[in-house]
Amino acid sequence: ADMAQLTLNRTFDATAILEMRKQMKNAADLGLDKVTINDLVLFAVAKTLVEFPDINANFIGDTMRRFTHAQLGVAIDTPRGLVVPVIRDADTLSVKTISETVKTYAAAAKDGSLGADKMQGGSFTVTNLGNLGIESFTPIINPPQTAILGVCGTTLRPRMKADGSVEFYQAMGLSLTFD
């Protein structure tokens, strides 16, 4: 099946998500200290996906299968190449559970013990190149999914305040590829 893929790139003010991450780093008593920025993005994406059924979907032949829950694929780089395990019903999970699941899958992917069953049935994928300092990229859709989100690094950006002075903020890039 041929796809007409289009990528839209956008940044957002990452101040709040970076601050949340900083607070979680200090919440070891709640088990939140290991939650990463990527885990927070996955949590937000999972909650948002269910509101957009056309990108929380598979397109097979001429049939669109829309998912009730987010079957969230997470791209993980391994010595043997990219693998995409799926966090089942991710929209129903806590950020802590998403974080623990990603870490478990990443370890299994890297040592080659991740079963094929864990990599099937995804409705949408997130791939993160932010730790490589990438500001924008074109993620490639994982068929039969209809879209993929690329998470980019943060960059310092200026903005005008109401009083006319300039302040700097951390902007994080997102790259959405869809068919």
Side-chain angles (χ1 to χ4, degrees), residues 61-126:
D62 58 359
T63 305
M64 184 80 116
R65 176 182 177 209
R66 293 171 182 86
F67 291 76
T68 306
H69 292 288
Q71 309 306 323
L72 192 58
V74 182
I76 297 172
D77 195 19
T78 75
R80 291 171 302 287
L82 207 61
V83 296
V84 185
V86 177
I87 302 172
R88 307 280 172 214
D89 300 335
D91 56 297
T92 67
L93 304 176
S94 69
V95 71
K96 181 181 174 196
T97 302
I98 287 174
S99 179
E100 290 167 347
T101 303
V102 170
K103 284 170 185 56
T104 300
Y105 285 175
K110 288 186 171 106
D111 72 20
S113 68
L114 188 68
D117 60 312
K118 296 274 190 273
M119 293 182 274
Q120 294 166 348
S123 61
F124 185 89
T125 295
V126 174

Side-chain angles (χ1 to χ4, degrees), residues 144-155:
Q145 296 172 23
T146 59
I148 184 170
L149 182 69
V151 180
C152 308
T154 57
T155 53

Side-chain angles (χ1 to χ4, degrees), residues 28-61:
D29 55 326
L30 300 174
L32 297 175
D33 53 313
K34 302 276 192 279
V35 172
T36 66
I37 293 290
N38 194 56
D39 298 332
L40 292 170
V41 170
L42 292 170
F43 178 77
V45 167
K47 296 291 187 197
T48 305
L49 263 181
V50 293
E51 297 173 35
F52 298 93
D54 287 348
I55 65 167
N56 187 37
N58 286 176
F59 190 69
I60 303 166

